Amino acid sequence: QVQLVESGGGLVQPGGSLRLSCAASGTIFRINQMGWYRQAPGKERELVATMDNGGNAKYVDPVKGRFTISRDNARNTVYLQMNSLKPEDTAFYYCKADIQSGRWTVPTNFWGHGTQVTVSS
């Protein structure tokens, strides 16, 4: 059994910052890629940023230069530092991790339940 639990969302004014965390727990042999996605009301879920287990990060254009993804492999945790937040960043943010539960098992994508980020004055 694997669980992903996000935290750190909330209400922030435009230009403010938030730091999201996502911790994976359970039967984990290896975590490959970890990432953050978001879904705004009435829109499809979209990719925000990913990081592989070598520390290579990728971002979508709207968040480049403002968001930073990082991970602590010892704690099976991925973070998303969000600076210079804009109202259009308002969404439910989800964590996803590609996790191998055992040495011989096939990696599986797991999702967290999400955390709300609201950017408003």
Side-chain angles (χ1 to χ4, degrees):
Q1 299 287 348
V2 172
Q3 279 191 321
L4 299 181
V5 178
E6 300 100 332
S7 61
L11 173 64
V12 64
Q13 292 187 343
S17 298
L18 282 175
R19 188 190 192 212
L20 305 183
S21 299
C22 171
S25 62
T27 305
I28 298 172
F29 172 74
R30 179 187 293 124
I31 301 179
N32 299 313
Q33 187 182 79
M34 302 186 83
W36 291 94
Y37 292 70
R38 65 186 180 185
Q39 187 167 17
K43 295 187 177 181
E44 293 187 354
R45 191 174 298 188
E46 62 177 5
L47 172 68
V48 176
T50 61
M51 177 170 278
D52 63 23
N53 54 12
N56 300 299
K58 293 183 179 180
Y59 302 90
V60 294
D61 285 344
V63 308
K64 283 181 180 177
R66 300 188 298 121
F67 291 10
T68 302
I69 188 172
S70 61
R71 57 190 282 181
D72 183 340
N73 291 329
R75 290 183 167 82
N76 293 332
T77 300
V78 64
Y79 305 96
L80 187 67
Q81 178 66 43
M82 305 185 294
N83 299 328
S84 302
L85 282 161
K86 304 175 181 180
E88 52 263 44
D89 295 316
T90 295
F92 219 74
Y93 283 71
Y94 296 89
C95 167
K96 188 178 84 168
D98 182 42
I99 296 175
Q100 195 173 346
S101 299
R103 180 181 294 273
W104 310 114
T105 59
V106 176
T108 303
N109 283 324
F110 291 89
W111 289 88
H113 292 295
T115 184
Q116 177 68 43
V117 171
T118 302
V119 185
S120 175
S121 55

mmCIF file of all heavy atoms in Angstrom, residues 68-96:
data_model
loop_
_atom_site.group_PDB
_atom_site.id
_atom_site.type_symbol
_atom_site.label_atom_id
_atom_site.label_comp_id
_atom_site.label_asym_id
_atom_site.label_seq_id
_atom_site.Cartn_x
_atom_site.Cartn_y
_atom_site.Cartn_z
ATOM 1 N N THR A 68 9.556 26.353 -8.049
ATOM 2 C CA THR A 68 10.715 25.480 -7.966
ATOM 3 C C THR A 68 10.313 24.148 -7.336
ATOM 4 O O THR A 68 9.762 24.128 -6.224
ATOM 5 C CB THR A 68 11.830 26.106 -7.126
ATOM 6 O OG1 THR A 68 12.207 27.365 -7.674
ATOM 7 C CG2 THR A 68 13.057 25.197 -7.098
ATOM 8 N N ILE A 69 10.588 23.073 -8.064
ATOM 9 C CA ILE A 69 10.326 21.740 -7.527
ATOM 10 C C ILE A 69 11.612 21.176 -6.945
ATOM 11 O O ILE A 69 12.704 21.402 -7.483
ATOM 12 C CB ILE A 69 9.752 20.803 -8.620
ATOM 13 C CG1 ILE A 69 9.292 19.476 -8.004
ATOM 14 C CG2 ILE A 69 10.745 20.586 -9.747
ATOM 15 C CD1 ILE A 69 8.525 18.581 -9.007
ATOM 16 N N SER A 70 11.482 20.484 -5.832
ATOM 17 C CA SER A 70 12.638 19.835 -5.224
ATOM 18 C C SER A 70 12.159 18.564 -4.535
ATOM 19 O O SER A 70 10.957 18.369 -4.344
ATOM 20 C CB SER A 70 13.334 20.762 -4.226
ATOM 21 O OG SER A 70 12.458 21.126 -3.178
ATOM 22 N N ARG A 71 13.108 17.714 -4.166
ATOM 23 C CA ARG A 71 12.709 16.486 -3.490
ATOM 24 C C ARG A 71 13.764 16.061 -2.491
ATOM 25 O O ARG A 71 14.945 16.358 -2.668
ATOM 26 C CB ARG A 71 12.381 15.368 -4.475
ATOM 27 C CG ARG A 71 13.465 14.991 -5.427
ATOM 28 C CD ARG A 71 12.965 14.055 -6.519
ATOM 29 N NE ARG A 71 12.819 12.672 -6.060
ATOM 30 C CZ ARG A 71 12.408 11.678 -6.843
ATOM 31 N NH1 ARG A 71 12.061 11.910 -8.099
ATOM 32 N NH2 ARG A 71 12.319 10.445 -6.369
ATOM 33 N N ASP A 72 13.297 15.401 -1.458
ATOM 34 C CA ASP A 72 14.154 14.827 -0.432
ATOM 35 C C ASP A 72 13.962 13.318 -0.537
ATOM 36 O O ASP A 72 12.968 12.785 -0.043
ATOM 37 C CB ASP A 72 13.756 15.356 0.942
ATOM 38 C CG ASP A 72 14.654 14.846 2.051
ATOM 39 O OD1 ASP A 72 15.339 13.817 1.858
ATOM 40 O OD2 ASP A 72 14.672 15.462 3.121
ATOM 41 N N ASN A 73 14.892 12.656 -1.188
ATOM 42 C CA ASN A 73 14.722 11.227 -1.435
ATOM 43 C C ASN A 73 14.750 10.415 -0.146
ATOM 44 O O ASN A 73 14.109 9.368 -0.047
ATOM 45 C CB ASN A 73 15.791 10.734 -2.398
ATOM 46 C CG ASN A 73 15.603 11.286 -3.801
ATOM 47 O OD1 ASN A 73 14.494 11.542 -4.237
ATOM 48 N ND2 ASN A 73 16.708 11.487 -4.504
ATOM 49 N N ALA A 74 15.472 10.887 0.851
ATOM 50 C CA ALA A 74 15.528 10.164 2.123
ATOM 51 C C ALA A 74 14.180 10.174 2.833
ATOM 52 O O ALA A 74 13.874 9.256 3.596
ATOM 53 C CB ALA A 74 16.596 10.765 3.018
ATOM 54 N N ARG A 75 13.391 11.208 2.569
ATOM 55 C CA ARG A 75 12.072 11.336 3.201
ATOM 56 C C ARG A 75 10.938 11.012 2.228
ATOM 57 O O ARG A 75 9.768 11.181 2.580
ATOM 58 C CB ARG A 75 11.889 12.744 3.757
ATOM 59 C CG ARG A 75 12.750 13.055 4.955
ATOM 60 C CD ARG A 75 12.452 14.463 5.500
ATOM 61 N NE ARG A 75 13.031 14.679 6.804
ATOM 62 C CZ ARG A 75 14.286 15.025 7.015
ATOM 63 N NH1 ARG A 75 15.102 15.196 5.988
ATOM 64 N NH2 ARG A 75 14.730 15.205 8.240
ATOM 65 N N ASN A 76 11.282 10.576 1.011
ATOM 66 C CA ASN A 76 10.250 10.273 -0.004
ATOM 67 C C ASN A 76 9.285 11.439 -0.174
ATOM 68 O O ASN A 76 8.065 11.252 -0.257
ATOM 69 C CB ASN A 76 9.478 9.000 0.365
ATOM 70 C CG ASN A 76 10.339 7.762 0.294
ATOM 71 O OD1 ASN A 76 11.307 7.704 -0.470
ATOM 72 N ND2 ASN A 76 10.023 6.769 1.102
ATOM 73 N N THR A 77 9.819 12.635 -0.208
ATOM 74 C CA THR A 77 9.002 13.850 -0.223
ATOM 75 C C THR A 77 9.401 14.739 -1.393
ATOM 76 O O THR A 77 10.585 14.885 -1.693
ATOM 77 C CB THR A 77 9.151 14.604 1.100
ATOM 78 O OG1 THR A 77 8.724 13.760 2.173
ATOM 79 C CG2 THR A 77 8.314 15.870 1.097
ATOM 80 N N VAL A 78 8.390 15.326 -2.014
ATOM 81 C CA VAL A 78 8.613 16.310 -3.066
ATOM 82 C C VAL A 78 7.973 17.621 -2.636
ATOM 83 O O VAL A 78 6.946 17.621 -1.953
ATOM 84 C CB VAL A 78 8.057 15.821 -4.423
ATOM 85 C CG1 VAL A 78 6.544 15.646 -4.391
ATOM 86 C CG2 VAL A 78 8.472 16.756 -5.550
ATOM 87 N N TYR A 79 8.612 18.718 -3.009
ATOM 88 C CA TYR A 79 8.144 20.053 -2.629
ATOM 89 C C TYR A 79 7.888 20.888 -3.879
ATOM 90 O O TYR A 79 8.464 20.642 -4.938
ATOM 91 C CB TYR A 79 9.193 20.756 -1.770
ATOM 92 C CG TYR A 79 9.621 19.988 -0.553
ATOM 93 C CD1 TYR A 79 10.765 19.197 -0.575
ATOM 94 C CD2 TYR A 79 8.883 20.052 0.628
ATOM 95 C CE1 TYR A 79 11.158 18.479 0.535
ATOM 96 C CE2 TYR A 79 9.284 19.338 1.748
ATOM 97 C CZ TYR A 79 10.410 18.553 1.695
ATOM 98 O OH TYR A 79 10.796 17.843 2.804
ATOM 99 N N LEU A 80 7.045 21.885 -3.716
ATOM 100 C CA LEU A 80 6.840 22.878 -4.767
ATOM 101 C C LEU A 80 6.834 24.241 -4.112
ATOM 102 O O LEU A 80 5.883 24.596 -3.399
ATOM 103 C CB LEU A 80 5.534 22.633 -5.521
ATOM 104 C CG LEU A 80 5.327 23.526 -6.743
ATOM 105 C CD1 LEU A 80 6.344 23.194 -7.836
ATOM 106 C CD2 LEU A 80 3.909 23.403 -7.287
ATOM 107 N N GLN A 81 7.901 24.988 -4.312
ATOM 108 C CA GLN A 81 7.978 26.361 -3.827
ATOM 109 C C GLN A 81 7.372 27.269 -4.889
ATOM 110 O O GLN A 81 7.849 27.285 -6.027
ATOM 111 C CB GLN A 81 9.434 26.758 -3.558
ATOM 112 C CG GLN A 81 9.610 28.195 -3.100
ATOM 113 C CD GLN A 81 9.003 28.457 -1.736
ATOM 114 O OE1 GLN A 81 9.152 27.658 -0.824
ATOM 115 N NE2 GLN A 81 8.307 29.585 -1.602
ATOM 116 N N MET A 82 6.344 27.985 -4.511
ATOM 117 C CA MET A 82 5.625 28.837 -5.451
ATOM 118 C C MET A 82 5.778 30.284 -5.022
ATOM 119 O O MET A 82 5.317 30.665 -3.935
ATOM 120 C CB MET A 82 4.149 28.437 -5.493
ATOM 121 C CG MET A 82 3.921 26.972 -5.822
ATOM 122 S SD MET A 82 2.189 26.547 -6.012
ATOM 123 C CE MET A 82 1.605 26.823 -4.343
ATOM 124 N N ASN A 83 6.437 31.078 -5.843
ATOM 125 C CA ASN A 83 6.645 32.498 -5.583
ATOM 126 C C ASN A 83 5.921 33.334 -6.621
ATOM 127 O O ASN A 83 5.529 32.828 -7.678
ATOM 128 C CB ASN A 83 8.143 32.823 -5.602
ATOM 129 C CG ASN A 83 8.921 32.076 -4.547
ATOM 130 O OD1 ASN A 83 8.410 31.781 -3.471
ATOM 131 N ND2 ASN A 83 10.170 31.759 -4.859
ATOM 132 N N SER A 84 5.763 34.602 -6.319
ATOM 133 C CA SER A 84 5.110 35.541 -7.251
ATOM 134 C C SER A 84 3.788 34.970 -7.761
ATOM 135 O O SER A 84 3.507 34.976 -8.963
ATOM 136 C CB SER A 84 6.040 35.851 -8.427
ATOM 137 O OG SER A 84 7.262 36.395 -7.976
ATOM 138 N N LEU A 85 2.987 34.487 -6.842
ATOM 139 C CA LEU A 85 1.740 33.827 -7.220
ATOM 140 C C LEU A 85 0.767 34.796 -7.870
ATOM 141 O O LEU A 85 0.704 35.981 -7.506
ATOM 142 C CB LEU A 85 1.111 33.158 -6.006
ATOM 143 C CG LEU A 85 1.763 31.823 -5.622
ATOM 144 C CD1 LEU A 85 1.426 31.445 -4.191
ATOM 145 C CD2 LEU A 85 1.328 30.727 -6.575
ATOM 146 N N LYS A 86 0.024 34.270 -8.827
ATOM 147 C CA LYS A 86 -0.952 35.047 -9.585
ATOM 148 C C LYS A 86 -2.344 34.434 -9.391
ATOM 149 O O LYS A 86 -2.454 33.237 -9.105
ATOM 150 C CB LYS A 86 -0.597 35.016 -11.072
ATOM 151 C CG LYS A 86 0.800 35.500 -11.395
ATOM 152 C CD LYS A 86 1.095 35.326 -12.872
ATOM 153 C CE LYS A 86 2.503 35.786 -13.228
ATOM 154 N NZ LYS A 86 2.787 35.621 -14.672
ATOM 155 N N PRO A 87 -3.393 35.209 -9.586
ATOM 156 C CA PRO A 87 -4.742 34.637 -9.470
ATOM 157 C C PRO A 87 -4.950 33.426 -10.364
ATOM 158 O O PRO A 87 -5.676 32.495 -9.993
ATOM 159 C CB PRO A 87 -5.639 35.805 -9.870
ATOM 160 C CG PRO A 87 -4.859 37.023 -9.478
ATOM 161 C CD PRO A 87 -3.426 36.668 -9.766
ATOM 162 N N GLU A 88 -4.310 33.414 -11.516
ATOM 163 C CA GLU A 88 -4.471 32.273 -12.429
ATOM 164 C C GLU A 88 -3.773 31.007 -11.950
ATOM 165 O O GLU A 88 -3.921 29.949 -12.564
ATOM 166 C CB GLU A 88 -3.994 32.626 -13.846
ATOM 167 C CG GLU A 88 -2.598 33.205 -13.916
ATOM 168 C CD GLU A 88 -2.629 34.734 -13.973
ATOM 169 O OE1 GLU A 88 -3.401 35.358 -13.208
ATOM 170 O OE2 GLU A 88 -1.830 35.295 -14.761
ATOM 171 N N ASP A 89 -3.020 31.111 -10.870
ATOM 172 C CA ASP A 89 -2.437 29.908 -10.257
ATOM 173 C C ASP A 89 -3.430 29.206 -9.334
ATOM 174 O O ASP A 89 -3.146 28.113 -8.832
ATOM 175 C CB ASP A 89 -1.182 30.265 -9.450
ATOM 176 C CG ASP A 89 -0.051 30.782 -10.314
ATOM 177 O OD1 ASP A 89 0.195 30.194 -11.386
ATOM 178 O OD2 ASP A 89 0.577 31.780 -9.910
ATOM 179 N N THR A 90 -4.568 29.828 -9.105
ATOM 180 C CA THR A 90 -5.584 29.228 -8.243
ATOM 181 C C THR A 90 -6.048 27.906 -8.823
ATOM 182 O O THR A 90 -6.475 27.827 -9.984
ATOM 183 C CB THR A 90 -6.789 30.178 -8.093
ATOM 184 O OG1 THR A 90 -6.360 31.359 -7.412
ATOM 185 C CG2 THR A 90 -7.908 29.513 -7.305
ATOM 186 N N ALA A 91 -5.944 26.858 -8.018
ATOM 187 C CA ALA A 91 -6.301 25.513 -8.480
ATOM 188 C C ALA A 91 -6.144 24.534 -7.324
ATOM 189 O O ALA A 91 -5.615 24.887 -6.260
ATOM 190 C CB ALA A 91 -5.399 25.088 -9.633
ATOM 191 N N PHE A 92 -6.608 23.322 -7.572
ATOM 192 C CA PHE A 92 -6.326 22.222 -6.661
ATOM 193 C C PHE A 92 -5.037 21.585 -7.162
ATOM 194 O O PHE A 92 -4.948 21.230 -8.328
ATOM 195 C CB PHE A 92 -7.480 21.216 -6.688
ATOM 196 C CG PHE A 92 -7.809 20.649 -5.341
ATOM 197 C CD1 PHE A 92 -8.462 21.403 -4.389
ATOM 198 C CD2 PHE A 92 -7.462 19.350 -5.032
ATOM 199 C CE1 PHE A 92 -8.760 20.884 -3.149
ATOM 200 C CE2 PHE A 92 -7.767 18.815 -3.787
ATOM 201 C CZ PHE A 92 -8.416 19.582 -2.845
ATOM 202 N N TYR A 93 -4.053 21.475 -6.288
ATOM 203 C CA TYR A 93 -2.743 20.962 -6.670
ATOM 204 C C TYR A 93 -2.591 19.516 -6.202
ATOM 205 O O TYR A 93 -2.827 19.208 -5.027
ATOM 206 C CB TYR A 93 -1.635 21.831 -6.077
ATOM 207 C CG TYR A 93 -1.453 23.117 -6.837
ATOM 208 C CD1 TYR A 93 -2.411 24.131 -6.767
ATOM 209 C CD2 TYR A 93 -0.340 23.332 -7.636
ATOM 210 C CE1 TYR A 93 -2.258 25.308 -7.480
ATOM 211 C CE2 TYR A 93 -0.170 24.504 -8.349
ATOM 212 C CZ TYR A 93 -1.129 25.484 -8.270
ATOM 213 O OH TYR A 93 -0.973 26.652 -8.976
ATOM 214 N N TYR A 94 -2.174 18.662 -7.134
ATOM 215 C CA TYR A 94 -2.036 17.239 -6.857
ATOM 216 C C TYR A 94 -0.575 16.817 -7.038
ATOM 217 O O TYR A 94 0.116 17.297 -7.932
ATOM 218 C CB TYR A 94 -2.882 16.414 -7.826
ATOM 219 C CG TYR A 94 -4.366 16.639 -7.724
ATOM 220 C CD1 TYR A 94 -4.986 17.638 -8.468
ATOM 221 C CD2 TYR A 94 -5.147 15.840 -6.896
ATOM 222 C CE1 TYR A 94 -6.354 17.844 -8.393
ATOM 223 C CE2 TYR A 94 -6.518 16.040 -6.812
ATOM 224 C CZ TYR A 94 -7.104 17.033 -7.555
ATOM 225 O OH TYR A 94 -8.461 17.231 -7.473
ATOM 226 N N CYS A 95 -0.178 15.882 -6.225
ATOM 227 C CA CYS A 95 1.132 15.272 -6.335
ATOM 228 C C CYS A 95 0.977 13.912 -7.021
ATOM 229 O O CYS A 95 -0.003 13.193 -6.772
ATOM 230 C CB CYS A 95 1.699 15.103 -4.924
ATOM 231 S SG CYS A 95 3.137 14.055 -4.782
ATOM 232 N N LYS A 96 1.921 13.576 -7.872
ATOM 233 C CA LYS A 96 1.954 12.259 -8.494
ATOM 234 C C LYS A 96 3.353 11.679 -8.369
ATOM 235 O O LYS A 96 4.345 12.417 -8.507
ATOM 236 C CB LYS A 96 1.572 12.335 -9.979
ATOM 237 C CG LYS A 96 1.412 10.958 -10.626
ATOM 238 C CD LYS A 96 0.996 11.060 -12.078
ATOM 239 C CE LYS A 96 2.167 11.262 -12.991
ATOM 240 N NZ LYS A 96 1.810 11.070 -14.411
#
